[in-house]
Amino acid sequence: MAGAAVALALTGTPTLAADIPPADTVVTSPNVTHVLNIPKPAPIASTINTDIAFQGDYAYVGNYGGFSIYDIRHPKKAKVVSSVVCPGAQMDVSVYGNLLFAAVDGSRNNDSCASTGQSAGIKESWEGVRIFDVSDKANPRYVKSVETNCGSHTLTLVPGKGRDRDRNVYVYVSSYQPSANFPDCLPPHDKISIIKVPLRHPEAAAVAATPVLFPDGGNETQPGLLLPTSGCHDITTFAEKDIAAGACMGDGVLFDISDRLNPRVTARTTDANFAFWHSATFSNDAREVIFTDELGGGGAATCNEVVGPNRGADAIYDISRGRFTFKSYFKIPRHQDDSENCVSHNGSLIPVKGRDIMVQAWYMGGVSIWDFTDAAHPTEIGYFERGPRADGGGGGVWSAYYYNGYIYAADFNTGLDVIKINDWRTNNAERVHTDRLNAQTQESYRSR
Protein backbone atom coordinates (compact mmCIF):
# COMPACT_ATOMS: atom_id res chain seq x y z
CA MET A 1 0.00 0.00 0.00
CA ALA A 2 1.02 3.63 -0.38
CA GLY A 3 2.81 5.23 2.51
CA ALA A 4 1.23 8.08 4.44
CA ALA A 5 1.14 11.26 2.38
CA VAL A 6 1.20 14.81 3.67
CA ALA A 7 -1.42 17.11 2.10
CA LEU A 8 -0.25 20.68 1.53
CA ALA A 9 -2.48 23.53 0.45
CA LEU A 10 -2.23 25.11 -2.99
CA THR A 11 -1.25 28.72 -2.38
CA GLY A 12 -0.72 29.95 -5.94
CA THR A 13 2.73 31.27 -4.96
CA PRO A 14 6.10 29.54 -5.45
CA THR A 15 7.28 27.24 -2.69
CA LEU A 16 9.93 28.66 -0.39
CA ALA A 17 13.07 26.66 0.31
CA ALA A 18 11.74 25.95 3.80
CA ASP A 19 8.65 24.33 2.25
CA ILE A 20 10.57 21.68 0.30
CA PRO A 21 9.36 18.28 1.60
CA PRO A 22 11.59 16.13 3.80
CA ALA A 23 13.72 13.57 1.99
CA ASP A 24 11.77 10.70 0.38
CA THR A 25 8.46 11.93 1.86
CA VAL A 26 5.31 11.83 -0.29
CA VAL A 27 3.35 15.09 -0.31
CA THR A 28 0.14 15.92 -2.15
CA SER A 29 -2.34 18.72 -2.55
CA PRO A 30 -5.51 18.22 -0.43
CA ASN A 31 -7.50 17.01 -3.46
CA VAL A 32 -5.01 14.26 -4.38
CA THR A 33 -4.60 10.83 -2.76
CA HIS A 34 -1.68 8.44 -3.13
CA VAL A 35 -3.54 5.16 -3.63
CA LEU A 36 -0.76 2.64 -4.14
CA ASN A 37 2.90 2.16 -4.94
CA ILE A 38 4.13 -0.98 -6.67
CA PRO A 39 7.93 -1.35 -6.54
CA LYS A 40 9.72 -2.33 -9.73
CA PRO A 41 9.69 -6.10 -10.29
CA ALA A 42 12.91 -7.85 -9.30
CA PRO A 43 14.03 -8.78 -12.86
CA ILE A 44 14.27 -5.08 -13.85
CA ALA A 45 14.59 -3.41 -10.45
CA SER A 46 18.08 -2.11 -11.19
CA THR A 47 17.08 -0.13 -14.30
CA ILE A 48 14.78 2.89 -14.59
CA ASN A 49 11.10 3.06 -15.55
CA THR A 50 10.13 5.10 -18.61
CA ASP A 51 6.85 5.39 -20.52
CA ILE A 52 3.42 3.78 -19.99
CA ALA A 53 0.75 2.46 -22.37
CA PHE A 54 -2.71 1.10 -21.51
CA GLN A 55 -5.14 -1.34 -23.04
CA GLY A 56 -8.21 -2.86 -21.43
CA ASP A 57 -7.44 -3.80 -17.84
CA TYR A 58 -3.67 -3.62 -18.26
CA ALA A 59 -0.86 -1.09 -18.01
CA TYR A 60 2.43 -1.64 -19.83
CA VAL A 61 5.43 0.08 -18.26
CA GLY A 62 8.66 0.49 -20.18
CA ASN A 63 12.02 0.18 -18.48
CA TYR A 64 15.61 0.39 -19.69
CA GLY A 65 15.83 -3.30 -18.79
CA GLY A 66 12.65 -4.35 -20.65
CA PHE A 67 8.98 -3.86 -19.73
CA SER A 68 6.35 -5.05 -17.25
CA ILE A 69 2.63 -5.73 -17.54
CA TYR A 70 0.31 -4.75 -14.67
CA ASP A 71 -3.26 -5.87 -13.99
CA ILE A 72 -5.14 -2.65 -13.13
CA ARG A 73 -8.75 -3.86 -13.24
CA HIS A 74 -8.85 -3.01 -9.52
CA PRO A 75 -6.52 0.01 -9.30
CA LYS A 76 -6.34 -0.10 -5.49
CA LYS A 77 -5.02 -3.67 -5.80
CA ALA A 78 -3.02 -3.32 -9.02
CA LYS A 79 -0.36 -6.00 -9.42
CA VAL A 80 2.43 -7.18 -11.70
CA VAL A 81 1.49 -9.92 -14.16
CA SER A 82 4.86 -10.38 -15.85
CA SER A 83 8.16 -8.74 -16.72
CA VAL A 84 10.19 -9.17 -19.88
CA VAL A 85 13.93 -8.69 -19.55
CA CYS A 86 15.06 -7.16 -22.84
CA PRO A 87 17.52 -4.29 -22.27
CA GLY A 88 17.80 -1.24 -24.48
CA ALA A 89 17.38 2.50 -24.00
CA GLN A 90 14.66 3.72 -23.66
CA MET A 91 12.12 0.96 -24.20
CA ASP A 92 9.27 3.47 -24.51
CA VAL A 93 6.18 1.39 -25.26
CA SER A 94 2.90 1.59 -27.19
CA VAL A 95 0.22 -1.09 -27.66
CA TYR A 96 -2.20 -1.89 -30.48
CA GLY A 97 -4.35 -5.00 -30.50
CA ASN A 98 -2.15 -7.86 -29.32
CA LEU A 99 1.05 -6.06 -30.25
CA LEU A 100 3.45 -4.08 -28.08
CA PHE A 101 6.04 -1.84 -29.71
CA ALA A 102 9.20 -0.84 -27.85
CA ALA A 103 11.71 1.85 -28.84
CA VAL A 104 15.43 1.09 -28.60
CA ASP A 105 17.78 4.06 -28.86
CA GLY A 106 21.05 2.54 -27.77
CA SER A 107 23.24 0.45 -30.06
CA ARG A 108 23.28 -3.28 -29.27
CA ASN A 109 25.47 -6.06 -30.60
CA ASN A 110 22.32 -7.73 -32.00
CA ASP A 111 18.52 -7.41 -31.83
CA SER A 112 17.92 -10.15 -29.24
CA CYS A 113 16.91 -9.72 -25.61
CA ALA A 114 20.29 -11.18 -24.67
CA SER A 115 22.16 -8.44 -26.51
CA THR A 116 24.72 -6.13 -24.96
CA GLY A 117 25.66 -2.53 -25.67
CA GLN A 118 27.94 -1.88 -28.61
CA SER A 119 29.21 1.27 -30.32
CA ALA A 120 27.06 2.74 -33.10
CA GLY A 121 30.35 3.16 -34.93
CA ILE A 122 30.26 -0.57 -35.72
CA LYS A 123 28.20 -1.20 -38.85
CA GLU A 124 26.72 -4.46 -37.51
CA SER A 125 25.28 -2.78 -34.40
CA TRP A 126 21.50 -2.80 -34.05
CA GLU A 127 18.94 -0.32 -32.72
CA GLY A 128 15.34 0.35 -33.69
CA VAL A 129 11.94 -1.10 -32.77
CA ARG A 130 11.07 -4.41 -31.11
CA ILE A 131 7.60 -5.92 -31.55
CA PHE A 132 6.05 -8.32 -29.03
CA ASP A 133 2.83 -10.34 -29.03
CA VAL A 134 1.18 -9.70 -25.64
CA SER A 135 -2.01 -11.72 -26.14
CA ASP A 136 -0.77 -13.95 -23.29
CA LYS A 137 -0.05 -11.36 -20.60
CA ALA A 138 1.89 -13.81 -18.50
CA ASN A 139 4.13 -14.84 -21.40
CA PRO A 140 4.75 -12.10 -23.99
CA ARG A 141 6.40 -13.34 -27.17
CA TYR A 142 9.09 -11.49 -29.15
CA VAL A 143 7.85 -11.37 -32.76
CA LYS A 144 10.01 -9.06 -34.82
CA SER A 145 12.69 -6.37 -34.79
CA VAL A 146 13.01 -3.54 -37.29
CA GLU A 147 16.27 -1.62 -37.53
CA THR A 148 15.95 2.12 -38.16
CA ASN A 149 18.45 4.88 -38.88
CA CYS A 150 19.73 6.33 -35.58
CA GLY A 151 17.55 3.88 -33.64
CA SER A 152 14.21 4.80 -32.06
CA HIS A 153 14.31 7.32 -29.24
CA THR A 154 10.51 7.41 -29.21
CA LEU A 155 7.79 5.93 -31.38
CA THR A 156 4.22 6.85 -32.29
CA LEU A 157 1.52 4.50 -33.57
CA VAL A 158 -0.75 5.70 -36.37
CA PRO A 159 -3.72 3.54 -37.43
CA GLY A 160 -4.44 3.13 -41.11
CA LYS A 161 -7.32 4.95 -42.81
CA GLY A 162 -10.59 3.48 -44.05
CA ARG A 163 -10.26 -0.17 -45.00
CA ASP A 164 -6.56 0.01 -44.21
CA ARG A 165 -7.37 0.56 -40.53
CA ASP A 166 -8.02 -3.13 -39.97
CA ARG A 167 -5.02 -4.18 -42.01
CA ASN A 168 -2.07 -2.05 -40.96
CA VAL A 169 -0.68 0.17 -38.25
CA TYR A 170 2.13 2.61 -38.94
CA VAL A 171 4.97 3.46 -36.56
CA TYR A 172 6.51 6.92 -36.76
CA VAL A 173 10.04 6.53 -35.41
CA SER A 174 11.74 9.60 -33.96
CA SER A 175 15.52 9.63 -33.57
CA TYR A 176 18.33 12.14 -33.66
CA GLN A 177 22.01 12.93 -32.99
CA PRO A 178 23.62 11.68 -36.21
CA SER A 179 27.38 11.44 -36.54
CA ALA A 180 29.81 11.00 -39.40
CA ASN A 181 31.22 8.11 -37.33
CA PHE A 182 27.93 6.18 -37.27
CA PRO A 183 27.41 4.17 -40.49
CA ASP A 184 23.64 3.83 -39.89
CA CYS A 185 23.11 7.33 -38.51
CA LEU A 186 24.79 9.79 -40.83
CA PRO A 187 24.15 13.56 -40.95
CA PRO A 188 21.99 15.42 -41.69
CA HIS A 189 19.25 12.93 -40.66
CA ASP A 190 16.50 15.52 -41.10
CA LYS A 191 13.89 12.78 -41.30
CA ILE A 192 11.86 10.12 -39.52
CA SER A 193 11.44 6.43 -40.31
CA ILE A 194 7.96 4.98 -40.90
CA ILE A 195 7.41 1.28 -40.26
CA LYS A 196 4.40 -0.43 -41.85
CA VAL A 197 3.08 -3.29 -39.72
CA PRO A 198 0.58 -5.76 -41.25
CA LEU A 199 -1.66 -6.55 -38.28
CA ARG A 200 -2.24 -10.16 -39.31
CA HIS A 201 1.42 -10.73 -40.10
CA PRO A 202 3.51 -8.50 -37.81
CA GLU A 203 6.56 -10.58 -38.63
CA ALA A 204 6.46 -8.81 -42.03
CA ALA A 205 6.89 -5.35 -40.48
CA ALA A 206 9.45 -3.22 -42.33
CA VAL A 207 10.50 0.37 -42.93
CA ALA A 208 8.23 1.68 -45.69
CA ALA A 209 9.31 5.33 -45.90
CA THR A 210 11.90 7.77 -44.58
CA PRO A 211 10.43 11.21 -45.34
CA VAL A 212 12.68 14.24 -45.00
CA LEU A 213 10.96 16.79 -42.75
CA PHE A 214 13.53 19.56 -42.79
CA PRO A 215 15.07 19.98 -46.24
CA ASP A 216 16.42 23.34 -45.04
CA GLY A 217 18.04 21.74 -41.98
CA GLY A 218 15.63 23.13 -39.41
CA ASN A 219 16.61 25.32 -36.46
CA GLU A 220 20.33 24.73 -35.97
CA THR A 221 21.79 28.09 -34.93
CA GLN A 222 19.59 29.47 -32.16
CA PRO A 223 21.66 30.33 -29.07
CA GLY A 224 20.89 28.12 -26.08
CA LEU A 225 19.66 25.06 -27.95
CA LEU A 226 20.53 21.78 -26.26
CA LEU A 227 20.80 20.19 -29.72
CA PRO A 228 20.13 21.49 -33.24
CA THR A 229 17.19 20.07 -35.15
CA SER A 230 17.95 16.71 -36.79
CA GLY A 231 14.76 14.72 -37.14
CA CYS A 232 12.37 14.80 -34.15
CA HIS A 233 12.42 13.86 -30.49
CA ASP A 234 8.74 12.96 -30.27
CA ILE A 235 5.59 13.12 -32.41
CA THR A 236 1.97 13.09 -31.26
CA THR A 237 -0.67 12.19 -33.83
CA PHE A 238 -4.41 12.93 -33.89
CA ALA A 239 -5.27 10.43 -36.58
CA GLU A 240 -9.01 11.09 -36.80
CA LYS A 241 -8.15 14.69 -37.71
CA ASP A 242 -5.22 13.70 -39.94
CA ILE A 243 -2.79 15.93 -38.05
CA ALA A 244 0.30 15.51 -35.88
CA ALA A 245 2.49 17.74 -33.74
CA GLY A 246 6.24 17.24 -33.71
CA ALA A 247 8.65 18.27 -30.97
CA CYS A 248 11.83 18.40 -33.01
CA MET A 249 14.65 19.66 -30.77
CA GLY A 250 14.80 23.21 -32.18
CA ASP A 251 11.39 23.33 -33.85
CA GLY A 252 7.72 22.87 -33.03
CA VAL A 253 5.97 21.40 -36.06
CA LEU A 254 2.44 20.75 -37.33
CA PHE A 255 1.94 17.95 -39.88
CA ASP A 256 -0.74 16.85 -42.29
CA ILE A 257 -0.73 13.02 -42.02
CA SER A 258 -3.65 12.27 -44.34
CA ASP A 259 -1.13 10.25 -46.36
CA ARG A 260 0.30 8.06 -43.59
CA LEU A 261 3.54 7.36 -45.46
CA ASN A 262 4.08 10.97 -46.46
CA PRO A 263 3.58 13.33 -43.52
CA ARG A 264 3.76 16.92 -44.71
CA VAL A 265 4.94 19.87 -42.62
CA THR A 266 2.28 22.58 -42.68
CA ALA A 267 3.55 24.91 -39.93
CA ARG A 268 6.70 25.47 -37.91
CA THR A 269 7.63 27.65 -34.98
CA THR A 270 10.66 28.34 -32.82
CA ASP A 271 11.01 29.92 -29.38
CA ALA A 272 14.11 31.70 -28.11
CA ASN A 273 13.11 30.59 -24.60
CA PHE A 274 13.10 26.87 -25.49
CA ALA A 275 16.21 24.72 -25.25
CA PHE A 276 14.82 21.37 -26.40
CA TRP A 277 11.36 20.78 -27.91
CA HIS A 278 10.56 17.47 -26.23
CA SER A 279 6.91 16.39 -26.63
CA ALA A 280 3.44 17.60 -27.61
CA THR A 281 -0.19 17.21 -26.51
CA PHE A 282 -3.28 18.47 -28.34
CA SER A 283 -6.38 19.77 -26.62
CA ASN A 284 -9.38 17.52 -27.24
CA ASP A 285 -10.69 19.79 -29.99
CA ALA A 286 -7.17 20.12 -31.46
CA ARG A 287 -7.45 23.90 -31.37
CA GLU A 288 -4.48 24.12 -29.03
CA VAL A 289 -1.25 22.24 -28.57
CA ILE A 290 1.11 22.09 -25.60
CA PHE A 291 4.81 21.68 -26.26
CA THR A 292 7.28 20.80 -23.50
CA ASP A 293 10.81 22.14 -23.14
CA GLU A 294 13.21 19.60 -21.62
CA LEU A 295 15.73 22.19 -20.47
CA GLY A 296 18.90 20.49 -19.26
CA GLY A 297 17.95 17.22 -20.93
CA GLY A 298 16.08 15.99 -17.86
CA GLY A 299 19.14 15.79 -15.65
CA ALA A 300 19.32 19.34 -14.31
CA ALA A 301 17.65 21.18 -11.41
CA THR A 302 15.59 23.67 -13.42
CA CYS A 303 12.59 24.04 -11.06
CA ASN A 304 14.41 26.16 -8.49
CA GLU A 305 14.01 29.88 -7.92
CA VAL A 306 17.16 30.76 -9.87
CA VAL A 307 15.87 29.34 -13.18
CA GLY A 308 12.49 31.01 -12.79
CA PRO A 309 8.95 30.39 -14.09
CA ASN A 310 9.42 30.21 -17.88
CA ARG A 311 12.53 28.18 -18.60
CA GLY A 312 11.95 24.41 -18.74
CA ALA A 313 8.21 25.07 -18.96
CA ASP A 314 5.31 24.10 -21.20
CA ALA A 315 4.30 26.45 -24.01
CA ILE A 316 0.64 26.66 -25.05
CA TYR A 317 -0.18 27.52 -28.66
CA ASP A 318 -3.46 28.16 -30.42
CA ILE A 319 -3.77 26.51 -33.82
CA SER A 320 -5.77 28.71 -36.17
CA ARG A 321 -5.84 28.56 -39.95
CA GLY A 322 -2.95 26.13 -39.81
CA ARG A 323 -0.67 28.48 -37.86
CA PHE A 324 0.72 28.56 -34.33
CA THR A 325 -0.08 31.49 -32.04
CA PHE A 326 1.72 31.54 -28.68
CA LYS A 327 -0.54 32.01 -25.65
CA SER A 328 1.49 31.43 -22.47
CA TYR A 329 3.92 29.30 -20.49
CA PHE A 330 3.11 26.95 -17.64
CA LYS A 331 5.56 25.70 -15.03
CA ILE A 332 4.90 24.09 -11.67
CA PRO A 333 4.79 26.77 -8.94
CA ARG A 334 6.54 24.54 -6.40
CA HIS A 335 10.26 25.25 -6.19
CA GLN A 336 12.37 22.12 -5.95
CA ASP A 337 15.63 21.52 -4.13
CA ASP A 338 18.89 22.17 -6.00
CA SER A 339 19.58 18.42 -5.85
CA GLU A 340 16.36 17.56 -7.73
CA ASN A 341 16.33 17.15 -11.50
CA CYS A 342 13.05 18.69 -12.61
CA VAL A 343 11.61 19.86 -15.93
CA SER A 344 8.42 19.47 -17.99
CA HIS A 345 7.94 15.91 -19.26
CA ASN A 346 5.30 13.37 -20.40
CA GLY A 347 1.59 13.80 -19.69
CA SER A 348 -1.94 13.45 -21.07
CA LEU A 349 -5.35 15.07 -20.98
CA ILE A 350 -7.91 14.38 -18.28
CA PRO A 351 -11.18 13.93 -20.24
CA VAL A 352 -13.24 16.71 -18.64
CA LYS A 353 -16.31 18.15 -20.36
CA GLY A 354 -15.99 21.85 -21.04
CA ARG A 355 -12.45 22.25 -19.66
CA ASP A 356 -8.86 21.65 -20.76
CA ILE A 357 -7.00 19.86 -17.97
CA MET A 358 -3.76 17.92 -18.15
CA VAL A 359 -1.79 15.63 -15.86
CA GLN A 360 1.96 15.75 -16.37
CA ALA A 361 5.23 14.36 -15.05
CA TRP A 362 8.00 16.70 -13.90
CA TYR A 363 10.71 14.22 -12.91
CA MET A 364 11.49 15.03 -9.24
CA GLY A 365 8.86 17.78 -9.38
CA GLY A 366 6.43 14.86 -9.29
CA VAL A 367 3.00 14.93 -10.93
CA SER A 368 1.17 18.15 -11.73
CA ILE A 369 -2.53 18.47 -12.57
CA TRP A 370 -3.17 21.78 -14.29
CA ASP A 371 -5.99 23.64 -16.03
CA PHE A 372 -5.37 25.46 -19.31
CA THR A 373 -9.00 26.22 -20.17
CA ASP A 374 -7.90 29.85 -20.15
CA ALA A 375 -4.84 29.28 -22.29
CA ALA A 376 -3.36 32.65 -21.36
CA HIS A 377 -3.57 31.91 -17.62
CA PRO A 378 -2.94 28.20 -16.87
CA THR A 379 -3.10 27.14 -13.21
CA GLU A 380 -1.98 24.11 -11.21
CA ILE A 381 -4.97 22.55 -9.41
CA GLY A 382 -3.35 19.50 -7.82
CA TYR A 383 -0.07 17.68 -7.35
CA PHE A 384 1.80 14.64 -6.04
CA GLU A 385 5.53 14.58 -5.34
CA ARG A 386 8.27 13.16 -3.19
CA GLY A 387 10.92 15.15 -1.36
CA PRO A 388 14.58 15.06 -2.40
CA ARG A 389 16.20 11.65 -2.28
CA ALA A 390 18.02 11.03 0.97
CA ASP A 391 21.08 9.85 -0.94
CA GLY A 392 21.13 13.05 -3.01
CA GLY A 393 20.53 11.15 -6.25
CA GLY A 394 18.25 11.97 -9.14
CA GLY A 395 15.20 10.30 -10.65
CA GLY A 396 11.54 11.20 -10.35
CA VAL A 397 8.45 10.63 -12.47
CA TRP A 398 9.12 9.97 -16.16
CA SER A 399 5.48 9.82 -17.30
CA ALA A 400 2.07 10.40 -15.74
CA TYR A 401 -1.22 9.62 -17.49
CA TYR A 402 -4.92 9.58 -16.65
CA TYR A 403 -6.69 6.33 -17.50
CA ASN A 404 -10.26 5.42 -16.55
CA GLY A 405 -10.53 7.28 -13.27
CA TYR A 406 -6.95 7.08 -11.96
CA ILE A 407 -3.55 8.61 -12.62
CA TYR A 408 -0.63 6.24 -13.17
CA ALA A 409 2.93 7.52 -12.74
CA ALA A 410 6.12 5.68 -13.68
CA ASP A 411 8.92 6.66 -11.32
CA PHE A 412 12.57 6.01 -12.19
CA ASN A 413 13.32 4.35 -8.90
CA THR A 414 10.22 3.73 -6.79
CA GLY A 415 8.10 1.91 -9.39
CA LEU A 416 4.50 2.51 -10.44
CA ASP A 417 2.35 4.94 -8.43
CA VAL A 418 -1.45 4.96 -8.56
CA ILE A 419 -2.94 8.37 -7.75
CA LYS A 420 -6.50 9.68 -7.42
CA ILE A 421 -7.77 13.25 -7.74
CA ASN A 422 -11.09 14.28 -6.18
CA ASP A 423 -11.93 17.74 -7.48
CA TRP A 424 -15.05 19.38 -8.88
CA ARG A 425 -13.09 20.36 -11.99
CA THR A 426 -12.08 16.80 -12.82
CA ASN A 427 -14.66 14.46 -11.32
CA ASN A 428 -16.86 14.15 -14.40
CA ALA A 429 -13.89 12.57 -16.20
CA GLU A 430 -14.78 9.38 -14.33
CA ARG A 431 -17.75 8.99 -16.71
CA VAL A 432 -15.38 8.65 -19.66
CA HIS A 433 -13.85 5.23 -20.25
CA THR A 434 -11.58 4.09 -23.02
CA ASP A 435 -10.13 0.75 -24.05
CA ARG A 436 -6.69 2.04 -25.00
CA LEU A 437 -4.32 4.90 -24.27
CA ASN A 438 -1.05 5.56 -26.06
CA ALA A 439 -0.33 9.15 -25.11
CA GLN A 440 1.44 9.85 -28.41
CA THR A 441 -1.57 8.55 -30.37
CA GLN A 442 -4.35 10.87 -29.28
CA GLU A 443 -7.97 9.97 -29.75
CA SER A 444 -10.83 12.36 -28.96
CA TYR A 445 -13.09 11.63 -26.02
CA ARG A 446 -16.79 12.30 -25.73
CA SER A 447 -17.84 13.43 -22.27
CA ARG A 448 -21.17 12.44 -20.82
Side-chain angles (χ1 to χ4, degrees), residues 304-341:
N304 53 18
E305 187 174 6
V306 174
V307 174
N310 293 333
R311 297 277 287 157
D314 298 316
I316 306 170
Y317 287 84
D318 275 347
I319 304 172
S320 179
R321 298 180 180 178
R323 295 184 178 182
F324 292 119
T325 301
F326 174 79
K327 300 298 292 185
S328 67
Y329 296 116
F330 169 78
K331 190 172 183 180
I332 58 174
R334 297 168 283 109
H335 287 152
Q336 303 296 300
D337 188 79
D338 290 342
S339 69
E340 294 182 282
N341 57 296

Side-chain angles (χ1 to χ4, degrees), residues 115-393:
S115 64
T116 58
Q118 179 171 281
S119 170
I122 299 172
K123 173 64 178 174
E124 291 74 23
S125 295
W126 180 90
E127 54 185 325
V129 174
R130 292 172 174 149
I131 305 173
F132 295 83
D133 184 324
V134 292
S135 52
D136 181 351
K137 305 296 185 284
N139 297 287
R141 181 172 58 87
Y142 191 177
V143 174
K144 173 72 173 181
S145 72
V146 181
E147 186 172 13
T148 56
N149 294 142
C150 300
S152 177
H153 193 74
T154 61
L155 56 79
T156 305
L157 302 187
V158 192
K161 295 182 63 175
R163 293 180 179 178
D164 190 43
R165 186 179 183 89
D166 295 328
R167 297 173 181 171
N168 298 293
V169 67
Y170 299 86
V171 185
Y172 287 6
V173 176
S174 296
S175 56
Y176 57 95
Q177 282 193 286
S179 169
N181 297 320
F182 298 162
D184 296 322
C185 184
L186 296 172
H189 191 69
D190 293 319
K191 61 186 178 182
I192 62 172
S193 298
I194 302 178
I195 300 171
K196 182 178 181 179
V197 184
L199 293 172
R200 295 180 183 177
H201 299 284
E203 68 281 358
V207 174
T210 54
V212 174
L213 306 180
F214 304 101
D216 65 350
N219 182 11
E220 298 179 317
T221 60
Q222 176 185 309
L225 286 181
L226 180 67
L227 290 170
T229 298
S230 62
C232 289
H233 176 275
D234 207 354
I235 295 173
T236 295
T237 62
F238 212 138
E240 66 198 71
K241 298 180 183 292
D242 283 335
I243 59 174
C248 303
M249 285 102 82
D251 294 83
V253 180
L254 188 67
F255 299 99
D256 178 332
I257 61 166
S258 52
D259 180 347
R260 299 293 193 249
L261 290 175
N262 187 31
R264 183 171 56 88
V265 174
T266 58
R268 282 169 54 184
T269 189
T270 59
D271 185 339
N273 182 62
F274 261 41
F276 189 80
W277 295 71
H278 176 274
S279 52
T281 302
F282 288 103
S283 61
N284 190 53
D285 60 11
R287 294 179 181 176
E288 292 172 327
V289 64
I290 297 160
F291 286 105
T292 68
D293 175 19
E294 195 182 41
L295 176 68
T302 69
C303 296
N304 53 18
E305 187 174 6
V306 174
V307 174
N310 293 333
R311 297 277 287 157
D314 298 316
I316 306 170
Y317 287 84
D318 275 347
I319 304 172
S320 179
R321 298 180 180 178
R323 295 184 178 182
F324 292 119
T325 301
F326 174 79
K327 300 298 292 185
S328 67
Y329 296 116
F330 169 78
K331 190 172 183 180
I332 58 174
R334 297 168 283 109
H335 287 152
Q336 303 296 300
D337 188 79
D338 290 342
S339 69
E340 294 182 282
N341 57 296
C342 172
V343 74
S344 58
H345 215 241
N346 294 358
S348 71
L349 298 182
I350 297 180
V352 179
K353 183 178 181 179
R355 305 187 76 91
D356 293 318
I357 298 179
M358 185 171 178
V359 58
Q360 185 177 8
W362 287 77
Y363 287 124
M364 292 189 75
V367 176
S368 177
I369 301 150
W370 58 286
D371 189 327
F372 63 101
T373 306
D374 180 353
H377 302 94
T379 305
E380 184 174 78
I381 64 173
Y383 67 85
F384 161 94
E385 69 163 299
R386 290 181 171 87
R389 294 186 66 189
D391 63 6

Side-chain angles (χ1 to χ4, degrees), residues 36-51:
L36 182 67
N37 171 263
I38 308 171
K40 291 183 293 184
I44 51 177
S46 64
T47 44
I48 66 173
N49 280 340
T50 57
D51 213 0

